Amino acid sequence: MMMFERLGAPGEESSNGFNNAGTGHAGFMEPNYTKEVKNADGSLRTVTTDKVEHVCEQFLSSRQYWEYLTKTGKLPKPDTWIHQTNHIALGVGKDQVEFIKKRYEAMKSHPLFTSMEICLPEEKEKAKQWAPLIVKGRDPNEPICMTKVPHGTDVDYGALTKAKITAFQELGGDLRLHTEVTDVKKNKDGKWVITTKVNGAGSGWAYNKAKFVFVGAGGWALLMLQKAGIPEVNGYMALPVTGDWAICQNPEVVHQHRVKVYAPGAPGAPPMSMPHLDYRTIGGKEVLLFGPFGSMTMKFLRYGSVTDAFRALKPHNLIPTAGALSRNLSLAVMLMKDVFKSAMGKLHDIRHYYPEADPDDWVFIPAGVRAQIIKKDPKTGKGMLQFGTEVVTGENGTICGLLGASPGASTCVSIGPVLDCLEVMASNIRSCS
Ligand SMILES: Cc1cc2nc3c(=O)[nH]c(=O)nc-3n(C[C@H](O)[C@H](O)[C@H](O)COP(=O)(O)OP(=O)(O)OC[C@H]3O[C@@H](n4cnc5c(N)ncnc54)[C@H](O)[C@@H]3O)c2cc1C
């Protein structure tokens, strides 16, 4: 089995620890997985829990798979890539406090969330113990409410990716670094021909034949599936969104916040704009990340090309793209606001959650690129923007690829038809051999 990677190492794109938020998305703290249900007078009645249950189940499948890989010696010691971290959902101000309370009421009786505890606005001492940085220096008249789940995780997905690929090599897999796939075509003999180019010194082209192809190319998966010419990818486009993290490496600050805290975004803001102040362990180093501050890009990968978005535009995806963009102007507005936000504006955002943040402790680093899926809504036929990850399969399961972004790393083991797709591939392999 061969794997091609255009960079000098695997796990350096979205999966790199600094390029994503490292959240094991179990729905313990992310407000966007529970939707508000309002009364006729506009007040909040309850929140829905079907999506949060689904995300939690998906993440538990990933954890089971990683546990299996660890127990069978294919992954190194878990503390090199996963850490227990309390997951806290935070509400600041009257409306958000109400939301956090209703969310707690709706979720606490479900078996997946029974360990969730709540800290009400009047429980000031408890709040200080849970998340001191959130409490210190805050206006006592500003109500806050939190829920906590003690078995949340922070994952260094870059380290996990590298470890999985080492296991792939130890099992006989052939990893070709600095090798870019430039074309994918079906041959007359039924096999796929993968054209590759070696980047850098000693560059050269090669044509590799394969019965089965998996396209795990992050933001470039769309371009690769388009090259393969499978009709199943028609109508798909990607909306690339990037941004910055604010990062703090001052150990005195970091040691006061060994938790991940997520808060609801501004009203009407898209799910990716949820602000969060995260304790992270990346490559063994403990840091805090805040963000993300969004930004626009034409690249589908961090180390991609500014022509990516233009290359992906095809006659079949023009209408869904126009429809999805016109229906998501709030995202464009949010990104533009972040693009033009000054350093003081960004510090102001951090201080909304961590009131005593010192500008000397924070620097800004680029985050990875999320290539969000644009596709035709199967119900309405109109273009829609989808926040999630899905698998596209073609040619009777001989090719499949993973499209989309967050929370892809947490949920990829059970995303849509991945397992189904592997089953189809496995049965094809059996019938071909
Ligand atoms: C800002 C941000 C925050 C996120 N936060 C979270 C989070 O908290 N939790 C979570 O679960 N997920 C999160 N995600 C999503 C998660 O990072 C991605 O879903 C996941 O990392 C995707 O993994 P991948 O292997 O599919 O793609 P990538 O990690 O992007 O890897 C694709 C690889 O394919 C290579 N490649 C591409 N094209 C070619 C080619 N033609 N030839 C050869 N090689 C090629 C690339 O170089 C790269 O190494 C976040 C993403 C972003 C950007």
Side-chain angles (χ1 to χ4, degrees), residues 159-205:
L160 177 59
T161 304
K162 287 179 203 299
K164 279 188 192 164
I165 291 180
T166 300
F168 164 79
Q169 289 176 290
E170 284 168 0
L171 291 169
D174 181 357
L175 168 68
R176 302 283 170 100
L177 295 174
H178 298 287
T179 306
E180 184 165 326
V181 174
T182 56
D183 205 2
V184 183
K185 284 283 170 296
K186 190 92 188 240
N187 215 13
K188 282 193 190 119
D189 63 4
K191 289 190 178 159
W192 290 97
V193 179
I194 317 299
T195 309
T196 55
K197 180 183 78 142
V198 176
N199 292 327
S203 47
W205 299 84

Side-chain angles (χ1 to χ4, degrees), residues 315-337:
H316 57 71
N317 60 25
L318 278 178
I319 292 175
T321 304
L325 293 182
S326 65
R327 248 166 255 118
N328 288 279
L329 288 175
S330 63
L331 174 59
V333 171
M334 179 213 106
L335 292 175
M336 287 315 285
K337 276 191 194 157

